[in-house]
Amino acid sequence: MRKVALRNLAAHKVRLALTLLSVVLGTAFISGSFVFTDTLQRTFDGIFEGQAQGVDVRVGPKDQRSLGVPNNIVDALAKAEGVDRVAPAVNGPVVLLDPEGKKAVQTGGAPSFGVSYLPPEKSVEDPETFVAGQAPTESGQIALNTGGAERAGLQVGDTTKVLIPSKGEPFDVTLTGIYEMPGTDGGGVLAVMFTEPQGRELFTDGSHVAYADIAAAPGVAADDLRDQLAAGLPNYKVQNADEVREDMKREVSEALTFINYFLLAFGAIALIVGTFIIYNTFSMIVAQRLRELALLRAIGASRQQVGRSVVGEAIVIGVIGSALGLAAGIGLAFGLSAALNAFDLGLPTGSLTVLPRTAIVALLVGLIVTVASAYAPARRAAKVPPVEAMRSEFASAGDSLRVRTIAGAVLAVAGGVLVYLGAQGTGKGSAVTVGLGALGLILAVLLAAPALSRPMVIVLGVLTKPFGAIGQMARNNAVRNPRRTAATAFALTLGLMLVSAIGILGASAKTSVGVLIDKGVKAEYVLAGPQMIGAPIGAVDAVRTQVPGVSEVTGVRFVGFKVGDDQIGATSPDGPIDPVMDIAMLEGSSTLGERGVLVGETEAADRGWTMGDAVAITSLDGKELELTVGGIYADSPLLGPMVVDPSVYEQLMPQSLRTNIFVLVKAAPGADLTAMRADLEKATEPFVVVQVQDHEEFKGAQGQQINTLLAILYGLLALAVVIAVLGIINTLALSVVERRREIGMLRAVGTQRSQVRRTIYLESMLIAIFGAIVGLILGIALGVGFLRTLRDMGIDQITIPWTQLVSVLIASGVVGVLAAVWPGVRAARTPPLAAIADL
């Protein structure tokens, strides 16, 4: 039986190739995601190996967004027993400009930061290696890492400009040196080195540093010194060098885990689609081979041997397909890495990493999925009585659809109820309920699709009426075997369900943002900047002093703190809110008093706060403050859960991180808005990264961010759709083999080759449109259900992109025709007499 299975595979090379392809594509995505994230992880690990070299102990804040380590603690550390030397470090975000100050040096999302230089006699960390020039020695001089200097196109002696988001206008600097930064220069990182006094002036409040590196005195063990210092500094993070590096690795690993799950989720979708194609393929193969298998049974083969022969074929396909999928996944990871580098996203580069775990998972998943897909058809084939299977009419007979249709209907009702109930609430629990309902509806479609396909294809047959008898034949072919039609269409259904659900999510998010801006922003102009930088503080001062006709300029800033054990992301305006934003006060006034706080309606209700209550908050440094509730407002995503007054912001936010999320500019009555825009652009021109936007432009910029995310999702979903199209090709090719005698008879009675091809094309079109309609309906239902659970996140407008969905439906019909080209040509070439004589 082993020889029978192998020879059967060798005799049907096209069928083997198509089945292999579905396994390859599914496993390639999973192995590719592992290779990509493992490569990033190893590259980052290499980078971090070069960090904190020479450091015995590092003392830093528990949260990087805190004020840092106070100078008095640094001074105390220098006098502590067992300490030889202390090196305070400061850093903060910077924007490096070209010499004319007209353009920012792009890092593609990689960090762009400034640090202070410490000479070897003051430093604890191993000194930098300068490949050109020397370290800065006076204010106005800088050094750049090699990758940053190359990206900026600067050489030693060149002059340029630097912008500090938390300070005023850009200032001139001279490049005095270029130094190596181990492991990071390939990823777009830009590190600007200043003198220690200038670094402190630019990045600190004069009372804190970012962290302090410590060298132990001779004879003192680093771990002993760490434990000694940690006992006296319970509110700070005290680590040895290995712990510092492990901390960095852990943070990156958590970020990469999200990427890995994200990619694996889409790999699973591709694999699920591939599974149905494999299952469908084996079901058709077994159906076509029933007489052959029955003959084997008649000459003495047992049920177990017949079943094992089919499963044996699946094992061979699973092993070969998984191995090819592993190789394709490595290529996919290489392509993904190259694409991200081409888009300049600032990821470090390194050689591809293929761990044994990746190979094992890819091989096991591909093998298990393929064998599981073949098991049911193999079991069914083994149970067929030999004499019954030899009857020519048996191959076209099928079991009743009643049981699976009833089961599908029950699941549809249960799934629909769960989606409805979940959509009534918000948050994680509601989303999980909708997710369970979605699973029920998908299983319902899987089970009930054969019964559903008959009436739907009959109705869709109106599309083939213009083709006369050929169109009717195509419709009858699709209706005649509902199992095959449903299984072929299901892969496309699943893909388009996700496409339509994500399309609704994107359209609704953009509409919600637009409505939020239209209703919530009263200012005529918005000053915005890059996501990680925002609008620099200096730009606000420039507008206030240089632009006539301005009534109010209010910067909206982010600040973090804790309430109890919960970390809160609040906002703090540096001016009045009412003139620039439409804030609906339910109680109290929007005017913030000293140490006052405004609280969102939901936040106040959850915590039981009322007007005048004292609210205890804790800074990220562990400092406790008491605020007074001065007002409660209707929830606003623009303001977040809480709004604190500027004095609180000044106490809690590190100097280097102070910047505006955006700035709202309100015109005075009667002001010329066109002239004002020109004045705004002129005033903010020195800040380069600042964009002056009106309402529509601001909405468009937010929508563009959503489009970027959707583009990535659609790119990943394209794989599932490609697999679905291959499934249609596969199924149609196998159906041509199954109907070989029928096609031969049609040719014998005068049907032309072009008519045979047209029949296959139209049949494929009907199947594809059927699958697309079911997928779109399912996607709309699930998309709306999930969106309802996101109301508390500001996505409260549901928009269905009908133009996009209709375009997808039309495209599905076109895809159906294109997928049928090769099977149609193959069917048309069927020799009539040979086909009729085929037994």
Side-chain angles (χ1 to χ4, degrees):
M1 295 306 293
R2 183 175 63 253
K3 288 183 179 179
V4 170
L6 293 175
R7 288 179 178 176
N8 186 65
L9 286 173
H12 300 88
K13 295 181 178 60
V14 173
R15 185 177 70 200
L16 172 63
L18 290 170
T19 312
L20 275 174
L21 189 59
S22 62
V23 181
V24 168
L25 288 172
T27 54
F29 214 123
I30 287 183
S31 60
S33 64
F34 274 129
V35 172
F36 178 70
T37 51
D38 288 342
T39 299
L40 277 181
Q41 182 68 64
R42 177 165 290 185
T43 304
F44 277 115
D45 287 349
I47 292 172
F48 296 139
E49 287 303 322
Q51 303 299 310
Q53 293 296 333
V55 175
D56 290 320
V57 179
R58 176 171 290 178
V59 177
K62 290 186 175 180
D63 193 295
Q64 292 181 349
R65 292 172 298 171
S66 68
L67 294 175
V69 180
N71 288 340
N72 63 328
I73 289 182
V74 176
D75 295 338
L77 287 171
K79 299 174 184 177
E81 183 180 353
V83 172
D84 179 49
R85 191 165 66 255
V86 176
V90 300
N91 54 52
V94 303
V95 179
L96 184 66
L97 307 180
D98 62 12
E100 290 76 31
K102 302 292 185 184
K103 186 178 179 183
V105 177
Q106 301 297 320
T107 62
S112 176
F113 58 90
V115 296
S116 61
Y117 171 73
L118 290 176
E121 64 272 14
K122 290 185 177 181
S123 178
V124 170
E125 212 169 350
D126 290 348
E128 297 83 1
T129 302
F130 279 82
V131 297
Q134 62 181 14
T137 57
E138 58 185 60
S139 182
Q141 294 181 347
I142 64 167
L144 285 174
N145 62 312
T146 52
E150 182 178 343
R151 185 173 287 263
L154 295 173
Q155 297 179 349
V156 173
D158 289 348
T159 59
T160 187
K161 293 178 182 292
V162 168
L163 170 65
I164 308 298
S166 59
K167 295 291 185 180
E169 292 192 7
F171 55 92
D172 295 324
V173 292
T174 301
L175 182 64
T176 62
I178 299 174
Y179 65 97
E180 286 185 345
M181 200 173 179
T184 62
D185 281 321
V189 172
L190 198 155
V192 184
M193 186 181 287
F194 299 89
T195 62
E196 183 187 10
Q198 188 168 23
R200 284 178 177 260
E201 178 190 343
L202 294 175
F203 304 123
T204 75
D205 57 3
S207 303
H208 297 77
V209 295
Y211 56 85
D213 285 337
I214 301 170
V220 178
D223 287 353
D224 291 341
L225 181 59
R226 174 203 59 191
D227 295 341
Q228 171 198 323
L229 297 176
L233 298 169
N235 294 326
Y236 293 90
K237 192 183 290 184
V238 183
Q239 302 171 303
N240 62 28
D242 288 336
E243 290 169 337
V244 169
R245 288 188 285 270
E246 286 304 314
D247 223 16
M248 293 177 175
K249 290 178 183 179
R250 184 167 54 252
E251 289 178 7
V252 171
S253 181
E254 289 174 358
L256 293 182
T257 299
F258 171 76
I259 295 174
N260 202 21
Y261 287 155
F262 187 72
L263 292 174
L264 285 176
F266 281 93
I269 292 168
L271 200 60
I272 289 171
V273 174
T275 298
F276 285 104
I277 293 172
I278 297 168
Y279 176 84
N280 192 30
T281 299
F282 274 99
S283 295
M284 294 185 66
I285 290 171
V286 170
Q288 293 171 13
R289 293 172 54 200
L290 278 178
R291 279 187 288 174
E292 171 194 327
L293 298 176
L295 183 59
L296 290 173
R297 291 284 312 284
I299 61 176
S302 67
R303 286 185 176 184
Q304 291 77 13
Q305 287 177 312
V306 170
R308 283 200 297 268
S309 72
V310 178
V311 172
E313 292 181 27
I315 291 174
V316 173
I317 290 172
V319 170
I320 297 174
S322 300
L324 292 175
L326 175 62
I330 295 172
L332 180 66
F334 180 82
L336 183 58
S337 180
L340 292 178
N341 286 330
F343 282 108
D344 204 17
L345 295 184
L347 290 173
T349 55
S351 56
L352 289 179
T353 301
V354 184
L355 299 180
R357 177 256 290 144
T358 301
I360 292 170
V361 169
L363 291 172
L364 282 179
V365 168
L367 181 61
I368 291 171
V369 165
T370 306
V371 172
S373 299
Y375 176 74
R379 188 166 175 269
R380 189 166 62 246
K383 285 185 174 181
V384 176
V387 175
E388 185 177 5
M390 287 183 188
R391 301 206 319 261
S392 60
E393 68 273 16
F394 182 80
S396 62
D399 298 331
S400 172
L401 299 175
R402 179 178 300 172
V403 174
R404 65 180 291 172
T405 303
I406 292 174
V410 171
L411 281 172
V413 172
V417 169
L418 285 174
V419 170
Y420 176 78
L421 293 176
Q424 303 309 304
T426 59
K428 183 179 179 181
S430 296
V432 169
T433 303
V434 173
L436 292 174
L439 179 61
L441 290 174
I442 291 171
L443 292 175
V445 169
L446 174 63
L447 293 173
L452 187 63
S453 69
R454 279 176 171 161
M456 285 193 66
V457 171
I458 289 172
V459 172
L460 290 173
V462 69
L463 299 174
T464 63
K465 273 195 173 182
F467 298 92
I470 296 298
Q472 186 174 355
M473 190 183 304
R475 186 199 65 182
N476 291 341
N477 284 340
V479 170
R480 183 174 53 185
N481 194 331
R483 292 176 184 272
R484 183 180 66 213
T485 297
T488 305
F490 185 75
L492 192 60
T493 295
L494 195 58
L496 294 188
M497 176 198 75
L498 294 169
V499 169
S500 56
I502 290 173
I504 292 172
L505 174 63
S508 300
K510 285 189 281 189
T511 301
S512 297
V513 169
V515 171
L516 178 66
I517 293 171
D518 286 337
K519 289 184 176 179
V521 176
K522 294 193 286 188
E524 282 78 14
Y525 290 109
V526 180
L527 307 183
Q531 233 175 357
M532 302 299 292
I533 297 172
I537 298 294
V540 180
D541 296 332
V543 170
R544 284 175 175 157
T545 58
Q546 299 175 26
V547 180
V550 170
S551 172
E552 295 291 348
V553 181
T554 300
V556 180
R557 305 167 299 181
F558 171 85
V559 59
F561 51 82
K562 289 184 177 181
V563 176
D565 294 328
D566 300 328
Q567 191 155 315
I568 303 292
T571 53
S572 176
D574 67 350
I577 303 176
D578 263 338
V580 295
M581 296 181 68
D582 190 0
I583 178 171
M585 296 303 301
L586 304 178
E587 295 182 62
S589 166
S590 65
T591 302
L592 284 161
E594 187 175 354
R595 294 217 173 179
V597 59
L598 307 181
V599 186
E601 180 182 11
T602 301
E603 190 75 16
D606 290 345
R607 299 188 183 277
W609 291 341
T610 58
M611 283 288 298
D613 282 355
V615 174
I617 69 170
T618 306
S619 73
L620 300 181
D621 295 294
K623 180 181 179 181
E624 294 186 357
L625 296 176
E626 188 174 279
L627 310 181
T628 302
V629 177
I632 297 175
Y633 58 89
D635 292 339
S636 168
L638 288 174
L639 291 174
M642 298 171 69
V643 181
V644 298
D645 83 280
S647 67
V648 175
Y649 178 84
E650 299 291 337
Q651 292 182 65
L652 300 184
M653 203 66 180
Q655 173 67 39
S656 62
L657 299 181
R658 293 178 186 175
T659 187
N660 298 287
I661 307 171
F662 52 83
V663 179
L664 301 174
V665 181
K666 179 68 177 176
D672 185 340
L673 295 181
T674 303
M676 178 182 288
R677 177 167 191 145
D679 292 336
L680 286 170
E681 291 173 344
K682 183 177 179 181
T684 58
E685 185 179 5
F687 299 92
V688 181
V689 294
V690 175
Q691 293 181 317
V692 179
Q693 300 171 337
D694 59 22
H695 273 215
E696 292 304 315
E697 290 167 336
F698 188 49
K699 287 191 294 185
Q702 308 311 305
Q704 186 57 45
Q705 294 179 18
I706 296 171
N707 287 339
T708 301
L709 175 61
L710 292 182
I712 297 172
L713 296 176
Y714 283 136
L716 294 170
L717 279 175
L719 180 64
V721 176
V722 167
I723 298 174
V725 172
L726 290 171
I728 295 174
I729 297 173
N730 197 3
T731 306
L732 289 174
L734 291 170
S735 72
V736 167
V737 175
E738 181 184 356
R739 303 203 302 262
R740 179 176 168 86
R741 297 184 71 195
E742 171 193 327
I743 293 171
M745 184 68 72
L746 289 172
R747 294 278 289 115
V749 298
T751 305
Q752 299 175 2
R753 286 187 175 185
S754 61
Q755 292 175 314
V756 172
R757 287 196 299 269
R758 199 173 303 130
T759 303
I760 303 296
Y761 298 162
L762 294 175
E763 178 186 353
S764 177
M765 181 189 72
L766 290 176
I767 293 174
I769 293 177
F770 161 67
I773 290 175
V774 176
L776 293 178
I777 293 173
L778 202 56
I780 291 171
L782 299 183
V784 170
F786 275 115
L787 279 171
R788 294 282 297 167
T789 68
L790 300 176
R791 298 191 303 277
D792 59 336
M793 298 179 64
I795 305 180
D796 54 1
Q797 303 291 320
I798 295 179
T799 301
I800 299 177
W802 292 111
T803 302
Q804 177 187 340
L805 298 186
V806 171
S807 300
V808 167
L809 189 60
I810 295 172
S812 299
V814 175
V815 164
V817 173
L818 295 176
V821 170
W822 178 66
V825 170
R826 187 178 182 190
R829 291 177 178 172
T830 302
L833 296 180
I836 294 171
D838 191 19
L839 297 176

